[in-house]
Coordinates of all heavy atoms in Angstrom, one line a residue:
W35 N -51.7 60.2 -41.3 CA -50.4 59.8 -41.7 C -49.4 60.2 -40.7 O -49.4 61.4 -40.2 CB -50.1 60.5 -43.0 CG -50.8 59.9 -44.2 CD1 -52.0 60.3 -44.7 CD2 -50.4 58.7 -44.9 NE1 -52.3 59.5 -45.8 CE2 -51.4 58.5 -45.9 CE3 -49.3 57.8 -44.9 CZ2 -51.3 57.4 -46.8 CZ3 -49.3 56.8 -45.8 CH2 -50.3 56.6 -46.7
Y36 N -48.4 59.3 -40.4 CA -47.3 59.6 -39.5 C -46.0 59.3 -40.2 O -46.1 58.7 -41.3 CB -47.4 58.7 -38.2 CG -48.5 59.0 -37.3 CD1 -49.8 58.8 -37.6 CD2 -48.3 59.6 -36.0 CE1 -50.9 59.1 -36.7 CE2 -49.3 59.9 -35.1 CZ -50.6 59.6 -35.5 OH -51.6 59.9 -34.6
R37 N -44.9 59.8 -39.7 CA -43.7 59.5 -40.3 C -42.6 59.3 -39.2 O -42.7 59.8 -38.1 CB -43.2 60.6 -41.3 CG -42.9 61.9 -40.7 CD -42.6 62.9 -41.8 NE -42.4 64.3 -41.3 CZ -42.2 65.3 -42.0 NH1 -42.3 65.2 -43.3 NH2 -41.9 66.5 -41.5
Q38 N -41.6 58.5 -39.6 CA -40.5 58.2 -38.7 C -39.2 58.3 -39.5 O -38.9 57.5 -40.4 CB -40.6 56.9 -38.0 CG -39.6 56.6 -36.9 CD -39.9 55.4 -36.1 OE1 -40.7 54.6 -36.4 NE2 -39.3 55.3 -34.9
A39 N -38.4 59.3 -39.2 CA -37.1 59.5 -39.8 C -36.1 58.7 -39.0 O -36.3 58.4 -37.8 CB -36.7 61.0 -39.8
P40 N -35.0 58.4 -39.7 CA -33.9 57.6 -39.0 C -33.5 58.2 -37.7 O -33.2 59.4 -37.7 CB -32.8 57.6 -40.0 CG -33.5 57.7 -41.3 CD -34.6 58.6 -41.1
G41 N -33.5 57.5 -36.6 CA -33.0 58.0 -35.3 C -34.0 58.9 -34.6 O -33.7 59.5 -33.6
K42 N -35.2 59.0 -35.1 CA -36.2 59.9 -34.5 C -37.5 59.1 -34.2 O -37.7 58.0 -34.7 CB -36.5 61.1 -35.4 CG -35.4 62.0 -35.7 CD -35.8 63.2 -36.5 CE -34.7 64.2 -36.6 NZ -35.1 65.4 -37.4
Q43 N -38.3 59.7 -33.4 CA -39.6 59.1 -33.0 C -40.6 59.3 -34.1 O -40.5 60.3 -34.9 CB -40.1 59.7 -31.7 CG -39.3 59.4 -30.5 CD -39.9 59.8 -29.2 OE1 -40.6 60.8 -29.1 NE2 -39.7 59.1 -28.1
R44 N -41.6 58.5 -34.1 CA -42.7 58.6 -35.1 C -43.5 59.9 -34.7 O -43.7 60.1 -33.5 CB -43.6 57.4 -35.0 CG -44.6 57.3 -36.1 CD -45.4 56.0 -36.1 NE -44.5 54.9 -36.3 CZ -45.0 53.6 -36.4 NH1 -46.3 53.4 -36.4 NH2 -44.1 52.6 -36.6
E45 N -43.8 60.6 -35.7 CA -44.6 61.9 -35.5 C -45.8 62.0 -36.4 O -45.7 61.4 -37.5 CB -43.6 63.1 -35.7 CG -43.1 63.2 -37.1 CD -42.3 64.5 -37.4 OE1 -42.2 65.3 -36.4 OE2 -41.9 64.7 -38.5
L46 N -46.8 62.7 -36.0 CA -47.9 62.9 -36.8 C -47.6 63.9 -37.9 O -46.9 64.9 -37.7 CB -49.0 63.5 -35.9 CG -50.3 64.0 -36.6 CD1 -51.1 62.8 -37.2 CD2 -51.2 64.8 -35.7
V47 N -48.1 63.6 -39.1 CA -48.0 64.5 -40.2 C -49.3 65.2 -40.5 O -49.4 66.4 -40.6 CB -47.5 63.7 -41.5 CG1 -47.4 64.6 -42.7 CG2 -46.2 63.1 -41.2
A48 N -50.4 64.4 -40.6 CA -51.7 65.0 -41.0 C -52.8 64.0 -40.5 O -52.5 62.8 -40.5 CB -51.8 65.3 -42.4
R49 N -53.9 64.6 -40.2 CA -55.1 63.7 -39.8 C -56.3 64.3 -40.5 O -56.4 65.5 -40.7 CB -55.3 63.7 -38.3 CG -54.2 63.1 -37.5 CD -54.7 62.8 -36.1 NE -55.7 61.8 -36.2 CZ -55.5 60.5 -36.3 NH1 -54.3 60.0 -36.5 NH2 -56.5 59.6 -36.4
I50 N -57.3 63.4 -40.7 CA -58.6 63.8 -41.3 C -59.6 62.9 -40.6 O -59.5 61.7 -40.6 CB -58.6 63.8 -42.8 CG1 -59.9 64.3 -43.4 CG2 -58.3 62.3 -43.3 CD1 -59.8 64.5 -44.9
S51 N -60.7 63.6 -40.2 CA -61.8 62.8 -39.6 C -63.0 62.8 -40.5 O -62.9 63.5 -41.5 CB -62.1 63.3 -38.2 OG -62.9 64.5 -38.3
S52 N -64.0 62.1 -40.1 CA -65.2 62.1 -40.9 C -66.0 63.4 -40.8 O -66.9 63.6 -41.6 CB -66.1 60.9 -40.5 OG -66.5 61.0 -39.2
S53 N -65.7 64.2 -39.8 CA -66.6 65.4 -39.6 C -65.9 66.7 -39.4 O -66.5 67.7 -39.4 CB -67.4 65.1 -38.4 OG -66.6 64.9 -37.2
T54 N -64.5 66.7 -39.4 CA -63.8 68.0 -39.1 C -62.8 68.2 -40.2 O -62.5 67.3 -41.0 CB -63.1 68.0 -37.8 OG1 -62.2 66.9 -37.7 CG2 -64.2 67.8 -36.7
S55 N -62.3 69.4 -40.3 CA -61.3 69.8 -41.3 C -60.0 69.1 -41.0 O -59.7 68.8 -39.8 CB -61.1 71.3 -41.3 OG -62.3 71.9 -41.6
P56 N -59.2 68.8 -42.0 CA -57.9 68.2 -41.8 C -57.0 69.1 -40.9 O -57.1 70.3 -40.9 CB -57.3 68.1 -43.2 CG -58.5 68.2 -44.1 CD -59.4 69.1 -43.4
T57 N -56.0 68.4 -40.2 CA -55.0 69.1 -39.5 C -53.6 68.7 -39.9 O -53.5 67.5 -40.4 CB -55.2 68.8 -38.0 OG1 -55.0 67.4 -37.7 CG2 -56.5 69.3 -37.5
Y58 N -52.7 69.6 -39.8 CA -51.3 69.3 -40.3 C -50.3 69.8 -39.3 O -50.6 70.8 -38.6 CB -51.1 70.1 -41.6 CG -52.0 69.7 -42.8 CD1 -53.2 70.4 -42.9 CD2 -51.7 68.7 -43.6 CE1 -54.1 70.1 -44.0 CE2 -52.6 68.4 -44.7 CZ -53.7 69.1 -44.8 OH -54.6 68.7 -45.8
V59 N -49.2 69.2 -39.3 CA -48.1 69.7 -38.5 C -47.5 70.9 -39.2 O -47.5 70.9 -40.5 CB -47.0 68.7 -38.1 CG1 -47.6 67.6 -37.2 CG2 -46.4 68.0 -39.4
D60 N -46.9 71.8 -38.5 CA -46.4 73.1 -39.1 C -45.4 72.9 -40.3 O -45.5 73.5 -41.3 CB -45.8 74.0 -38.1 CG -46.8 74.6 -37.2 OD1 -48.0 74.6 -37.6 OD2 -46.5 75.2 -36.1
P61 N -44.5 71.9 -40.2 CA -43.5 71.8 -41.3 C -44.1 71.4 -42.6 O -43.4 71.6 -43.7 CB -42.5 70.7 -40.7 CG -42.7 70.8 -39.3 CD -44.1 71.1 -39.0
V62 N -45.3 70.9 -42.7 CA -45.8 70.4 -43.9 C -47.0 71.3 -44.4 O -47.5 71.1 -45.5 CB -46.3 68.9 -43.9 CG1 -45.2 68.1 -43.3 CG2 -47.6 68.8 -43.1
K63 N -47.4 72.2 -43.6 CA -48.5 73.1 -44.0 C -48.2 73.8 -45.3 O -47.1 74.4 -45.5 CB -48.8 74.1 -42.9 CG -49.6 73.5 -41.7 CD -49.9 74.5 -40.6 CE -50.6 73.9 -39.5 NZ -50.9 74.9 -38.4
G64 N -49.2 73.8 -46.2 CA -49.0 74.5 -47.5 C -48.3 73.6 -48.5 O -48.3 74.0 -49.7
R65 N -47.8 72.5 -48.1 CA -47.1 71.6 -49.0 C -47.8 70.2 -49.2 O -47.8 69.6 -50.2 CB -45.6 71.4 -48.6 CG -44.8 72.6 -48.5 CD -43.3 72.3 -48.3 NE -43.1 71.6 -47.0 CZ -42.5 70.4 -46.9 NH1 -42.2 69.7 -47.9 NH2 -42.4 69.9 -45.7
F66 N -48.3 69.7 -48.1 CA -49.0 68.4 -48.0 C -50.5 68.6 -47.9 O -51.0 69.6 -47.3 CB -48.5 67.6 -46.8 CG -47.1 67.1 -46.9 CD1 -46.2 67.6 -47.9 CD2 -46.7 66.2 -46.0 CE1 -44.9 67.1 -47.9 CE2 -45.4 65.8 -46.0 CZ -44.5 66.2 -47.0
T67 N -51.2 67.7 -48.6 CA -52.7 67.7 -48.5 C -53.2 66.3 -48.2 O -52.8 65.4 -48.9 CB -53.3 68.2 -49.8 OG1 -52.9 69.5 -50.1 CG2 -54.9 68.3 -49.7
I68 N -54.0 66.2 -47.2 CA -54.6 64.9 -46.8 C -56.0 64.9 -47.3 O -56.7 65.9 -47.1 CB -54.4 64.5 -45.3 CG1 -54.9 63.1 -45.1 CG2 -55.2 65.5 -44.5 CD1 -54.6 62.6 -43.6
F69 N -56.5 63.8 -47.9 CA -57.9 63.7 -48.3 C -58.2 62.2 -48.3 O -57.4 61.4 -48.3 CB -58.2 64.4 -49.6 CG -57.4 63.9 -50.8 CD1 -57.9 63.0 -51.7 CD2 -56.1 64.3 -51.0 CE1 -57.2 62.6 -52.8 CE2 -55.3 63.9 -52.1 CZ -55.9 63.0 -53.0
R70 N -59.5 61.9 -48.3 CA -60.0 60.6 -48.2 C -61.1 60.3 -49.2 O -61.9 61.2 -49.5 CB -60.4 60.2 -46.8 CG -61.5 61.0 -46.2 CD -61.6 60.9 -44.7 NE -62.3 59.6 -44.3 CZ -62.5 59.3 -43.1 NH1 -62.0 60.0 -42.1 NH2 -63.1 58.1 -42.8
D71 N -61.2 59.1 -49.6 CA -62.3 58.6 -50.4 C -63.0 57.5 -49.6 O -62.6 56.4 -49.4 CB -61.8 58.0 -51.7 CG -62.9 57.5 -52.6 OD1 -64.0 57.2 -52.2 OD2 -62.7 57.5 -53.9
N72 N -64.1 57.9 -49.0 CA -64.8 57.1 -48.0 C -65.4 55.8 -48.7 O -65.5 54.7 -48.1 CB -66.0 57.8 -47.3 CG -65.4 58.9 -46.4 OD1 -64.4 58.7 -45.8 ND2 -66.2 60.0 -46.2
A73 N -65.8 55.9 -50.0 CA -66.3 54.8 -50.7 C -65.3 53.7 -50.9 O -65.6 52.5 -51.0 CB -66.9 55.2 -52.0
K74 N -64.0 54.1 -50.9 CA -62.9 53.2 -51.1 C -62.2 52.9 -49.8 O -61.2 52.2 -49.9 CB -61.9 53.7 -52.2 CG -62.6 53.9 -53.6 CD -61.5 54.4 -54.6 CE -62.1 54.5 -56.0 NZ -61.1 55.0 -56.9
N75 N -62.6 53.5 -48.7 CA -61.9 53.3 -47.5 C -60.4 53.7 -47.6 O -59.5 53.0 -47.1 CB -62.0 51.9 -46.9 CG -63.5 51.6 -46.5 OD1 -64.2 52.4 -46.1 ND2 -63.8 50.3 -46.7
T76 N -60.1 54.7 -48.3 CA -58.8 55.1 -48.6 C -58.5 56.5 -48.2 O -59.3 57.4 -48.4 CB -58.5 54.9 -50.1 OG1 -58.7 53.5 -50.5 CG2 -57.1 55.3 -50.5
V77 N -57.3 56.7 -47.7 CA -56.8 58.0 -47.3 C -55.5 58.3 -48.2 O -54.7 57.4 -48.4 CB -56.5 58.2 -45.8 CG1 -55.4 57.2 -45.4 CG2 -56.1 59.6 -45.5
Y78 N -55.4 59.5 -48.6 CA -54.3 59.9 -49.5 C -53.5 61.0 -48.8 O -54.0 61.8 -48.0 CB -54.8 60.4 -50.8 CG -55.6 59.4 -51.6 CD1 -57.0 59.4 -51.4 CD2 -55.0 58.5 -52.5 CE1 -57.8 58.5 -52.1 CE2 -55.8 57.6 -53.2 CZ -57.2 57.6 -53.0 OH -58.0 56.8 -53.7
L79 N -52.2 61.1 -49.2 CA -51.4 62.2 -48.7 C -50.6 62.7 -50.0 O -49.7 62.0 -50.5 CB -50.4 61.8 -47.7 CG -49.5 63.0 -47.1 CD1 -50.5 63.9 -46.3 CD2 -48.4 62.4 -46.2
Q80 N -51.1 63.9 -50.5 CA -50.4 64.5 -51.6 C -49.3 65.4 -51.0 O -49.5 66.3 -50.3 CB -51.4 65.3 -52.4 CG -50.7 66.1 -53.5 CD -50.2 65.2 -54.6 OE1 -50.9 64.2 -55.0 NE2 -49.0 65.5 -55.2
M81 N -48.1 65.1 -51.5 CA -46.9 65.8 -50.9 C -46.2 66.5 -52.1 O -45.7 65.9 -53.0 CB -45.9 64.8 -50.3 CG -46.5 63.9 -49.2 SD -45.3 62.8 -48.4 CE -44.9 61.7 -49.8
N82 N -46.2 67.8 -52.0 CA -45.6 68.7 -53.0 C -44.4 69.4 -52.4 O -44.3 69.5 -51.1 CB -46.6 69.7 -53.5 CG -47.7 69.0 -54.2 OD1 -47.6 68.0 -54.8 ND2 -48.9 69.7 -54.1
D83 N -43.5 69.9 -53.2 CA -42.4 70.7 -52.8 C -41.6 69.9 -51.7 O -41.3 70.5 -50.6 CB -42.8 72.1 -52.3 CG -41.6 73.0 -52.0 OD1 -40.5 72.7 -52.6 OD2 -41.7 73.9 -51.2
L84 N -41.3 68.7 -52.0 CA -40.7 67.8 -51.0 C -39.2 68.3 -50.6 O -38.5 68.8 -51.5 CB -40.6 66.4 -51.4 CG -41.9 65.7 -51.3 CD1 -42.0 64.4 -52.2 CD2 -42.2 65.3 -49.8
K85 N -38.9 68.2 -49.4 CA -37.6 68.6 -48.9 C -36.8 67.4 -48.3 O -37.4 66.4 -47.9 CB -37.8 69.7 -47.8 CG -38.6 70.9 -48.2 CD -38.8 71.8 -47.1 CE -39.7 73.0 -47.4 NZ -39.2 73.8 -48.5
P86 N -35.5 67.5 -48.3 CA -34.7 66.4 -47.7 C -35.2 66.0 -46.3 O -35.2 64.8 -45.9 CB -33.3 66.9 -47.7 CG -33.3 67.9 -48.8 CD -34.6 68.5 -48.8
E87 N -35.6 67.0 -45.5 CA -36.1 66.7 -44.2 C -37.4 65.9 -44.1 O -37.9 65.5 -43.1 CB -36.2 68.0 -43.3 CG -37.0 69.1 -44.0 CD -36.1 70.1 -44.7 OE1 -35.1 69.6 -45.4 OE2 -36.4 71.3 -44.6
D88 N -38.1 65.8 -45.3 CA -39.3 64.9 -45.3 C -38.9 63.4 -45.5 O -39.8 62.6 -45.4 CB -40.2 65.3 -46.5 CG -40.7 66.8 -46.4 OD1 -41.1 67.1 -45.3 OD2 -40.7 67.5 -47.4
T89 N -37.7 63.1 -45.6 CA -37.3 61.7 -45.8 C -37.6 61.0 -44.5 O -37.2 61.3 -43.4 CB -35.8 61.6 -46.0 OG1 -35.5 62.2 -47.3 CG2 -35.3 60.2 -46.0
A90 N -38.4 59.9 -44.7 CA -38.9 59.1 -43.6 C -39.6 57.9 -44.1 O -40.0 57.8 -45.3 CB -39.7 59.9 -42.6
V91 N -39.9 57.0 -43.2 CA -40.9 56.0 -43.4 C -42.3 56.5 -43.0 O -42.4 57.0 -41.9 CB -40.6 54.7 -42.7 CG1 -41.7 53.6 -43.0 CG2 -39.3 54.1 -43.1
Y92 N -43.2 56.5 -43.9 CA -44.6 57.1 -43.7 C -45.5 55.9 -43.4 O -45.6 54.9 -44.1 CB -45.0 57.9 -44.9 CG -44.4 59.2 -45.0 CD1 -43.0 59.3 -45.3 CD2 -45.1 60.4 -44.7 CE1 -42.4 60.5 -45.4 CE2 -44.4 61.6 -44.8 CZ -43.1 61.7 -45.1 OH -42.5 62.9 -45.2
Y93 N -46.3 56.1 -42.3 CA -47.2 55.1 -41.8 C -48.6 55.7 -41.8 O -48.8 56.9 -41.4 CB -46.9 54.7 -40.4 CG -45.6 54.0 -40.2 CD1 -44.4 54.7 -39.9 CD2 -45.5 52.6 -40.4 CE1 -43.2 54.1 -39.8 CE2 -44.3 52.0 -40.2 CZ -43.1 52.7 -39.9 OH -41.9 52.1 -39.7
C94 N -49.6 55.0 -42.2 CA -51.0 55.4 -42.1 C -51.6 54.7 -40.9 O -51.2 53.6 -40.5 CB -51.8 55.1 -43.4 SG -51.9 53.4 -43.8
N95 N -52.6 55.3 -40.4 CA -53.4 54.7 -39.4 C -54.9 55.1 -39.5 O -55.2 56.1 -40.2 CB -52.9 54.8 -38.0 CG -53.3 56.2 -37.3 OD1 -53.8 57.1 -37.9 ND2 -53.0 56.3 -36.0
A96 N -55.7 54.3 -38.9 CA -57.2 54.6 -39.0 C -57.9 54.1 -37.7 O -57.5 53.0 -37.2 CB -57.8 54.0 -40.2

Side-chain angles (χ1 to χ4, degrees):
W35 288 95
Y36 289 70
R37 66 187 179 187
Q38 187 167 16
K42 295 187 176 181
Q43 291 187 332
R44 189 175 299 187
E45 64 174 1
L46 172 68
V47 176
R49 297 198 61 79
I50 184 169
S51 77
S52 62
S53 59
T54 61
S55 299
T57 59
Y58 303 90
V59 292
D60 286 345
V62 308
K63 285 181 179 178
R65 300 188 297 121
F66 291 10
T67 302
I68 186 171
F69 58 101
R70 59 194 282 180
D71 183 334
N72 292 328
K74 296 181 178 179
N75 293 329
T76 298
V77 62
Y78 302 91
L79 185 68
Q80 177 66 42
M81 305 185 294
N82 298 328
D83 190 23
L84 282 159
K85 305 177 184 298
E87 52 264 40
D88 296 317
T89 295
V91 177
Y92 284 70
Y93 299 89
C94 59
N95 81 349

